[in-house]
Amino acid sequence: MRKSSREMDSAWALEVLRKAPYITVSFTRPDGSAYGLPLSLACTSDDIWYFHCALEGDKLDAIAAHPEVCLSAVTKCAPTIGPKDGSFTLQYHSAIAFGIAEPVTDDEEKISALRAICLRFLPDHMNAFDDAIRRSLHRTAVVRITLTSLPTGKRKQYDKNGEEMKYGRMD
């Protein structure tokens, strides 16, 4: 990290990942080209994250060839005029993590993962979950990403006095 004064700890970075509406997952395609897209992920523990997709396509082809992935997320992103010098800048919270992706083959784990995703994004509609599983489980792929190291976080944020909050300062 170039600006270590903006570095935040891994617990903080996990919260960014949990709160981000989408997490960009970057893959490597079989031909070696990059492929990244924002996905709706949910976790069942700090190191296990899931997304769902079709039973075939670029994501699964990339995972089969290169299971290593990178997750990145940004929250609280706001263009800002620097309070001290009037410069154009950006306040943000960001996190990055690395992991290994693999398709889930066990139906119980798939259902548990899909439940976690639904609870995160549609908690008020869980009464329809069981019917959706009956209709769609056979045509839905679920991918587990196991983080291989703790995520890292970075922040640029100003306090009410216009001072940049550095070195993990939280007040």
Side-chain angles (χ1 to χ4, degrees):
M1 183 172 305
R2 189 174 68 82
K3 291 207 171 187
S4 60
S5 64
R6 295 184 178 148
E7 186 173 358
M8 302 297 286
D9 67 25
S10 60
W12 186 92
L14 278 167
E15 281 306 304
V16 170
L17 289 169
R18 284 188 184 102
K19 291 178 181 177
Y22 304 98
I23 297 172
T24 298
V25 181
S26 298
F27 305 88
T28 304
R29 287 184 170 128
D31 68 3
S33 63
Y35 178 59
L37 65 161
L39 297 171
S40 303
L41 274 73
C43 65
T44 56
S45 66
D46 289 349
D47 63 335
I48 304 294
W49 293 76
Y50 293 97
F51 67 88
H52 74 290
C53 60
L55 293 174
E56 57 185 37
D58 283 344
K59 291 183 286 299
L60 294 177
D61 292 346
I63 290 167
H66 304 282
E68 303 83 6
V69 296
C70 177
L71 285 66
S72 63
V74 178
T75 62
K76 300 194 182 230
C77 189
T80 303
I81 302 297
K84 295 289 185 185
D85 61 6
S87 61
F88 294 99
T89 190
L90 188 67
Q91 293 189 87
Y92 60 87
H93 293 180
S94 68
I96 190 167
F98 297 91
I100 301 294
E102 58 188 318
V104 174
T105 57
D106 176 73
D107 280 352
E108 285 186 36
E109 185 179 1
K110 282 176 72 171
I111 293 168
S112 176
L114 291 166
R115 181 173 279 109
I117 293 166
C118 289
L119 281 168
R120 178 165 186 224
F121 293 99
L122 292 167
D124 295 337
H125 299 280
M126 292 307 293
N127 58 334
F129 180 78
D130 291 333
D131 286 340
I133 290 298
R134 275 191 291 281
R135 280 191 321 273
S136 301
L137 186 64
H138 69 281
R139 59 186 165 136
T140 303
V142 172
V143 174
R144 176 191 330 105
I145 298 174
T146 304
L147 300 187
T148 53
S149 59
L150 294 172
T152 58
K154 186 175 173 182
R155 165 189 77 178
K156 183 172 186 181
Q157 184 175 339
Y158 295 101
D159 65 16
K160 63 183 178 191
N161 298 318
E163 296 293 328
E164 187 176 346
M165 297 169 62
K166 295 188 181 237
Y167 307 109
R169 193 180 115 209
M170 298 306 289
D171 48 28

